[in-house]
Amino acid sequence: MIFQKESFLKAKSVWPKGLRDEMNITIAFKAECDCGDYELKLCSQGNYQLFVNGNFVMAGPARAGRGFFRVDKIDISKHLTREKNELLVLVNSHRCNNFYVMNQAPFFCAELIGKDGAICETGSNAWSAYRYSQRLQRVQRYAFQRPFAEVYDFTLGEPLEALGDALALEQIDIDTFIAREVSYPALPFEPFKDTLESGNVEIIDTSSHFSPWWYHMMGNGCDGFTDDELELNSTSIADSLVYISDKIDGDEIGANQYKMLEMNANTTGLIRTTLECKSDTTLCLIFDEILIDGKLDYQRMECANILVFKLLGGKKYNLVSAEPYTFKYMNIVSLGGIVELKEFGIIRTDFNENEIIKTIRDDADEQIKRIYASALETFRQNSYDIFMDCPSRERAGWLCDSFFTSRVEYLMSGKSTVERSFLSNFMMEKEYRLLPKGMLPMCYPADHRDGNFIPNWAMWYVLELREYLARTNDSDFVQGVKEKLYALLDYFRGLENERGLLCHLKGWVFVEWSRCNSLTQDINYPTNMLYCAFKEALCDLYGDESLRDEASKLKEVIRDEARIGMFFCDNAVKGEDGSYSLSGELTETCQYYAFFCGVATPERDRELWDTMIRDFGSKRKATGKWESIHFSNAFIGNYLRLMLLERAGLYEELESDIRGYFDYMALRTGTLWENDTPSASCNHGFASHVLVWLDKLGYLRNK
């Protein structure tokens, strides 16, 4: 069994009639209950936030595969402080294609469990539902990979207050409830560390505007609202602001003024601020992970990193964002009125710190402690309910990334709970829409309308599953997915040439973020090296020794075809006469794949091994050695190198590269990055694998 079934005692799933297909709609579900010892059992399709008596309690749900829904069980007893207590659950249905939350019809289901069984269940008159119109519906997407930005108009009504008449509800049949599995977050509040800058803002007309590559695809491959449909264009506001630094003391932010706040490190969670609004204003929260030349570029990653709140004067507000965001720097801008900032920070949504069982040794030097802290932050922020690539731009569950992060979960918690949930999600759909028969999604749960996939990432699923079995001995799960993995093997067999090499692979053939990714056709040797490891992993999982024989033969074919001197060439290209010839392109990462996958060994390829260990790595750009060999990037070439150093017991070289690759990241953001430059995400889950090496070097201890 790859998942555990759940059920409700009395509750029925409901949603307002006629609203199941609306994009970006928020429904407020309200109920009352007496004091007592109660567990709230709830589930939704669509992100929810639970408030009790106006106080934030929990956000969810944990994600699952298409058609399955994970149930939360939350002890709310300590929050029931009144004779009659108000339960409020805001459920947002995105209803759009994205990489983060599956596009499925929304519902809400809930009941209170006490000593006498279930009460206050949906499907009865205990719950009423209202349109939460204070959160505007027709706004911009946040990113191509994530749904909508957040814009609120509290001139329409108070936060968390229902407006208008209760909506008529319809019952929805759901019989695929499953257990949450992953732990609940602690949700601590972390305040900002410092005010870096303050001053005035000038509002100008500008021709520049938010226009990433995906922005004009609304309705044509990317669900969303076009510019002329928007109720408010938040990025146009951000683009019109010019910041004029001028020291402003105190907690007030005056009309057309700003303050730039800094968090202790790049941090992920729900933005929370408490303030008093002295006069009507539009409050803008504009953020990013880094500063560039001291300035904040909110659209650096092609994300609309801005929240907008229209506020009334004479009111006190306690504002909590509906979605998690990632930032180290925040510009708080007040346009038109005065606000007094009482509190600002993040409700952290991350892996529960109480489950971490290891820490850094006291005698480690400051550089190692800094790298450790950054790696731990990166792990926790990317392991909330599944393993994510980044908690910011995508919040997506990518394969390959998870191979690395899964090792960290087991090391730092002694469990593989998030990994099991992550792996099982991929196996819930009987068939994957728009994908070739047998292929696995590249990231999940997600909706890729173009049918794109990464064949390499499907192979990494099998490599990870082999390690998962060794970590957990969960043979039932492994046997439960056997049929799908052999269907994947059948897919690849259909692309083998007469020598067993994968040729003319379909989809997005991905080796790593470097020159490698321009050398993926027509025969890509790093991918075929991975294919060898894939077949060996299947053999280890299911005892199919014929696959090990095939892998051994394929290794020799690659050695025979792909060599240029001591190096392995990345690819062979088909000529007009139908024959294949080597491109002549050589990359650092291709050499790492060769050793990682067992195509090359230190014994058989001593010259290449010694050259790779001595001349490549974190110092090569400074030394200028082997300029004709294209450099690796962080994902995943540098990580393959570090795994090879660890495997060979070259701990001095391993530690030197760890310091060289990661300390500058730790210094700048307190997290570890997707690339070796801050051009993309500065908080990427796979990068936390540094913790595994620090443990191998003896720098970690049990708490």
Side-chain angles (χ1 to χ4, degrees), residues 17-58:
K17 289 181 179 179
L19 296 180
R20 296 197 81 197
D21 293 322
E22 290 270 346
M23 282 192 297
N24 196 35
I25 183 174
T26 302
I27 302 298
F29 290 91
K30 298 184 72 172
E32 283 191 345
C33 71
D34 298 332
C35 291
D37 293 329
Y38 288 110
E39 175 184 82
L40 179 62
K41 191 173 185 179
L42 75 163
C43 185
S44 66
Q45 167 54 34
N47 291 359
Y48 78 77
Q49 286 183 302
L50 166 65
F51 297 84
V52 179
N53 297 328
N55 298 312
F56 173 80
V57 175
M58 183 58 66

Side-chain angles (χ1 to χ4, degrees), residues 37 39 89 95 122 124 150 167 189 225 343 379 381 407 411 424-425 431 436 465 502 533 573 613 651 661-662:
D37 293 329
E39 175 184 82
V89 182
R95 224 45 180 118
T122 51
S124 71
E150 295 184 48
L167 302 172
F189 177 72
F225 302 102
E343 183 181 56
F379 165 69
Q381 294 178 45
R407 290 178 167 185
L411 169 72
S424 66
N425 285 350
E431 294 183 358
L465 186 64
L502 295 175
V573 181
I613 298 303
Y651 294 154
Y661 282 140
F662 303 117

